[in-house]
Amino acid sequence: MARKLFGTDGIRGKANTFPITPQMALQVGIATGIAFRNGKHRHRVVIGKDTRLSGYMIEPALTAGFTAAGMDVFLLGPMPTPAVAMLTRSMRADLGVMISASHNPFEDNGIKLFGPDGYKLSDEAEARIEALIEEDLSDRLAGPSDLGRARRIDGMRDRYIEFAKRTMPKAYDLTGLRIVIDCANGAAYRVAPEALWELGAEVIAIGTDPDGYNINRDVGSTAPAALRAKVHEVRADIGIALDGDADRVIIVDERGEVVDGDQLMAVVAASWAEAGRLSKPGIVATIMSNLGLERYLGGLGLSLDRTKVGDRYVVERMRSGGFNVGGEQSGHLILSDFSTTGDGLVSALQILAVVRQTGKPVSEVCRRFDPVPQILKNVRFGGGKPLDTASVKAAIAEGEARLNGSGRLVIRPSGTEPLIRVMAEGDDERVVEAVVDDICVALKQVAA
């Protein structure tokens, strides 16, 4: 069954338009609650959100749906996505929900669902929920005496802060480090600065004044200019940028240079391999991770297993293959020793542990390899299947021949927009750019 609501990361769209409407949130709550009722015990769901204005609309609609299905609802308020995943398990809830559109602007919002194990729902579970939404569920609602209750619970921020702090090796703290933390005016605007301060750092926080509209606006992991400027201004040892729901991170070193997720994965992989902490001699990343990372890991005797784009697919491969480190170039790092999903704060703490262990500046710790030239361009199309046309297939075949086995070519439709993404990488940047341009021209001629 083709999914209509769920994409690669839950349900997402523009607030107050399909599918992010209060009516649909109500239906999602009812259908998901019914799908996860199992037994006669009191069923629980925990709901967190980021700082978007539309969260005030989606949260009560979901709550109404879950209580109508007979589930008790625990409202966490603004809370990072990884905290919701952790608390779902910790509170022995049947479900966890995060209301967020991650790094998107405030106009968008989304609904992410976690099972009782803290992992995002499988494609099959999401398809089952979609099927229920299309049914008449009136005869499956809870009876008047079996309706759920809803209440806000306090102290959950402190529980997450303590959890994050415990992932830092006991031998190290952050005393003497000057850290700039950019919380993207999002879900971690309270917990991240406090956790770093409690570990001993001198903390300069930006992106900590959410107003419902400014999440990810000129701040956060997708807009590092503000962080770079602040690191220079205060002469910080490191800058840390989270996104709106704090499941991804990028680093800025003391020189103001941005460090992406590929370099961060290299740091963790090398450190954990040396300490004997890798569960398998390798890590998992997506098809978008740089070839330089693969070569660096190969030099350490480690493999790089690639998946399609989306942190959920990285997690699925990690679980099936027994890996405990994975991630995406964008800054999603999944460290399954600690978390079931990406956790920007915990990932940053692992990098800071290596900085403490080595005594070296961040610029040395986090520069593990020289990235291979990589070019990504998008082509918008109105419909049809342009990748199936003869001219585009010919351009792709010619591009692969020009890369001659020394690079990679990745062409994929976007999962959220009518775009085809064309990415190539290789040692000769001129060849790489020519390959991408030629394929884009062929696509534009078909899409016109």
Side-chain angles (χ1 to χ4, degrees), residues 309-328:
V309 174
D311 64 302
R312 62 184 295 168
Y313 303 113
V314 173
V315 172
E316 287 175 4
R317 177 65 185 125
M318 290 173 64
R319 297 180 75 184
S320 65
F323 296 90
N324 62 343
V325 175
E328 294 188 283

Side-chain angles (χ1 to χ4, degrees), residues 59 68 119 180 321 343 365:
E59 183 187 60
Y119 286 98
V180 180
D343 191 320
V365 169

Side-chain angles (χ1 to χ4, degrees), residues 168 173-183 192-206 208 227 230-232 234-242 249-254 345 348-353 355-356 362:
M168 187 85 174
D173 63 21
L174 304 180
T175 302
L177 284 179
R178 179 175 293 175
I179 299 175
V180 180
I181 177 72
D182 179 353
C183 299
E194 187 168 338
L196 295 170
W197 179 81
E198 290 185 12
L199 285 167
E202 177 187 350
V203 179
I204 298 95
I206 63 175
T208 55
L227 179 61
K230 183 60 72 171
V231 167
H232 276 300
V234 302
R235 297 183 179 180
D237 298 293
I238 187 173
I240 300 168
L242 308 174
V249 63
I250 63 163
I251 298 294
V252 169
D253 67 26
E254 78 281 1
L345 175 59
L349 291 177
Q350 305 316 300
I351 302 302
L352 287 165
V355 171
R356 276 307 202 205
V362 175

Side-chain angles (χ1 to χ4, degrees), residues 75-319:
L75 300 169
L76 306 177
M79 190 72 70
T81 288
V84 173
M86 182 272 290
L87 290 167
T88 300
R89 292 189 299 169
S90 175
M91 296 180 67
R92 298 183 180 182
D94 299 273
L95 279 166
V97 182
M98 180 64 182
I99 304 168
S100 176
S102 191
H103 60 281
N104 287 24
F106 93 93
E107 294 92 345
D108 296 336
N109 215 331
I111 300 170
K112 304 181 184 184
L113 300 173
F114 296 91
D117 56 3
Y119 286 98
K120 292 178 181 177
L121 298 187
S122 66
D123 289 350
E124 292 75 19
E126 290 177 346
R128 188 166 72 250
I129 292 167
E130 285 201 16
L132 284 170
I133 288 173
E134 295 180 356
E135 294 181 19
D136 180 2
L137 300 176
S138 56
D139 61 345
R140 299 177 66 179
L141 297 177
S145 61
D146 296 320
L147 293 171
R149 300 174 183 267
R151 66 186 180 97
R152 295 198 175 274
I153 51 176
D154 299 321
M156 295 300 104
R157 288 198 302 270
D158 294 335
R159 285 176 66 170
Y160 174 67
I161 288 170
E162 286 303 314
F163 156 77
K165 287 164 53 182
R166 286 197 302 271
T167 68
M168 187 85 174
K170 292 181 179 179
Y172 308 112
D173 63 21
L174 304 180
T175 302
L177 284 179
R178 179 175 293 175
I179 299 175
V180 180
I181 177 72
D182 179 353
C183 299
N185 292 316
Y189 77 101
R190 291 180 177 175
V191 295
E194 187 168 338
L196 295 170
W197 179 81
E198 290 185 12
L199 285 167
E202 177 187 350
V203 179
I204 298 95
I206 63 175
T208 55
D209 297 301
D211 61 9
Y213 304 95
N214 61 2
I215 188 171
N216 300 314
R217 184 194 296 163
D218 301 324
V219 286
S221 61
T222 54
L227 179 61
R228 297 180 66 186
K230 183 60 72 171
V231 167
H232 276 300
E233 177 189 336
V234 302
R235 297 183 179 180
D237 298 293
I238 187 173
I240 300 168
L242 308 174
D243 68 337
D245 68 335
D247 66 351
R248 70 167 71 179
V249 63
I250 63 163
I251 298 294
V252 169
D253 67 26
E254 78 281 1
R255 300 173 180 175
E257 297 298 319
V258 174
V259 181
D260 68 11
D262 283 348
Q263 295 284 359
L264 299 182
M265 283 188 281
V267 174
V268 173
S271 174
W272 286 24
E274 184 178 356
R277 292 178 60 188
L278 285 181
S279 57
K280 284 288 183 71
I283 69 171
V284 180
T286 75
I287 55 176
M288 301 305 290
S289 279
N290 195 273
L291 184 59
L293 172 62
E294 187 172 344
R295 292 174 176 175
Y296 171 77
L297 293 173
L300 300 177
L302 303 175
S303 66
L304 178 63
D305 271 33
R306 293 185 183 270
T307 72
K308 58 184 177 180
V309 174
D311 64 302
R312 62 184 295 168
Y313 303 113
V314 173
V315 172
E316 287 175 4
R317 177 65 185 125
M318 290 173 64
R319 297 180 75 184

